[in-house]
Amino acid sequence: MAWLSMAAGAVMVLFVLRDVFHTLWHPTRHGGLSRLIMMSLWRLSARLGARRRPAGLAGPLGMVAVVAVWAGTVAVGWGLVYWPHMPERFSYSERLVPGEHAGPVDALYVSLVTLATLGLGDIAPTSGWLRVLAPVEALVGFVLLSATVAWILGVYPALARRRALALRLSHVRRSRATAEALDSDGGAALLDALASALSVTTVDFMQYAESYYFYDGDENTSLPRQLGHAADLARQAGRARHPDVRLSASVMRTALEDLAAVLDARFLRTGGTPEQVFAAYGADHGRGA
C-alpha cells in the first residue's frame, strides 16, 4: 500500500512537470492538461450567453485554473509520497501528538507548506531520503512560481502584438485606400509590414497557443474580424501593375496561408481553405470573418 501511494504521487508530480515543460518551454507543442482546461473554459463561456460576454474572462480564468491545477496536483502528489511514512519518519513540535497528525490531510499540509517554501517546522521529515525530498519539492514550488511569471510575461505581449496587427488592418480598412494608392512603393512597404506582423502572430500562436483562448471584444482590435480584409487586400494588390506590389502581395498571401494552417492544425480542425479557416476562426470568437 505504501509503495502504491508513493508511485501514484510520483506519477502525478511527473505528469504536471511534463505539462509545464510542454506549455512553457517547448516551442512546437503545449501541454495536454493546460490545453484541456483552457479549451473547456472557452467552450463553456461560449454557451453562457448569446452575446458571449463571459468569453472575455475565459483566457484569464483559464490561466488561473491551469496554475491552480498544477500547484494542487503537485501538492497532492507529494502528499501521497509523505503519507505512508507518517508519523514514524517525521518529527513534530511539542504542541502536536504524532499519532493524531499522521493522516492524509496532515500529509497534504506538509506538502503545501514545503511547496510554498514556508518551512514552518512544526512537522518535518527526519528520514535521510525524505529530508532530501522535501527541499526538492520546495525547488519545484519555486519553479512553478517562476513558470507562472514567465507564462504571463509571454502570453500578454503576444496578445498585444495580435491586437496591434488587427488595429493596423483596421486602420487600412477605414482609410479606404484605393487600388491606385496601393499600386506604389508605399503600397509595397505597407504589404511587407503587414506580412511581417502576420508572421509574428503565426509564431505567437505556435509558442503561446493559450493566447488563442483570449477574446478581443473591440472590433478594431479583433484579429478574427480583420483577417477577411487582409485577404481582400492581398488579392487586390496581386492585380497591381507595380512588380514590387505584386511581390509583396504574394508574400502576404503566403503569410496568411501559414497563419491559417497553424490555426486549423492546432485549434479549428476544419481541413478547409484559408478563407474557410478564417471564417471558422471568426465564428469561434463570435465575429464574422
Side-chain angles (χ1 to χ4, degrees):
M1 183 64 182
W3 284 106
L4 181 61
S5 176
M6 293 174 62
V11 168
M12 293 174 69
V13 172
L14 291 175
F15 176 74
V16 167
L17 293 180
R18 175 189 177 277
D19 194 72
V20 171
F21 173 78
H22 282 304
T23 300
L24 301 180
W25 296 306
H26 200 285
T28 58
R29 294 185 58 188
H30 54 293
L33 180 62
S34 58
R35 178 180 182 180
L36 177 63
I37 293 173
M38 297 286 290
M39 183 173 60
S40 298
L41 284 175
W42 176 258
R43 300 301 181 213
L44 177 62
S45 67
R47 298 182 179 181
L48 292 181
R51 294 188 176 183
R52 301 174 65 98
R53 289 177 180 172
L57 296 176
L61 288 179
M63 292 185 70
V64 171
V66 169
V67 173
V69 169
W70 281 345
T73 304
V74 168
V76 171
W78 239 284
L80 289 174
V81 174
Y82 295 145
W83 183 25
H85 306 286
M86 298 180 70
E88 293 84 4
R89 298 187 179 184
F90 284 79
S91 63
Y92 292 77
S93 66
E94 295 181 356
R95 307 189 311 273
L96 302 178
V97 179
E100 297 178 357
H101 296 277
V105 175
D106 300 284
L108 179 61
Y109 163 75
V110 173
S111 178
L112 285 171
V113 168
T114 306
L115 184 67
T117 67
L118 294 178
L120 298 182
D122 52 348
I123 304 177
T126 56
S127 176
W129 67 274
L130 284 174
R131 292 177 64 190
V132 173
L133 194 63
V136 171
E137 183 185 7
L139 288 174
V140 170
F142 178 76
V143 168
L144 284 177
L145 176 61
S146 302
T148 300
V149 174
W151 198 22
I152 294 172
L153 294 179
V155 168
Y156 279 92
L159 289 173
R161 290 188 291 269
R162 186 177 82 193
R163 290 163 180 166
L165 169 60
L167 187 58
R168 181 61 171 156
L169 289 169
S170 172
H171 291 161
V172 176
R173 175 178 58 83
R174 286 180 286 161
S175 69
R176 304 183 187 279
T178 63
E180 290 77 14
L182 286 175
D183 198 358
S184 63
D185 291 338
L190 172 63
L191 295 173
D192 286 338
L194 292 175
S196 177
L198 284 166
S199 299
V200 171
T201 300
T202 300
V203 174
D204 284 338
F205 276 124
M206 294 173 62
Q207 293 189 321
Y208 305 106
E210 293 75 19
S211 65
Y212 176 88
Y213 303 107
F214 281 74
Y215 178 73
D216 301 315
D218 183 77
E219 178 179 330
N220 293 324
T221 58
S222 174
L223 187 60
R225 178 65 179 84
Q226 303 299 331
L227 278 176
H229 175 66
D232 292 339
L233 189 65
R235 283 193 294 269
Q236 180 182 357
R239 298 189 294 267
R241 290 173 296 177
H242 199 302
D244 289 346
V245 174
R246 292 198 302 271
L247 176 60
S248 298
S250 177
V251 173
M252 185 173 174
R253 283 196 302 269
T254 303
L256 285 167
E257 290 169 359
D258 288 344
L259 176 58
V262 170
L263 288 172
D264 202 40
R266 287 179 170 261
F267 311 106
L268 300 170
R269 312 285 184 181
T270 67
T273 64
E275 290 75 13
Q276 291 171 330
V277 172
F278 293 149
Y281 180 35
D284 197 31
H285 281 250
R287 294 281 179 184

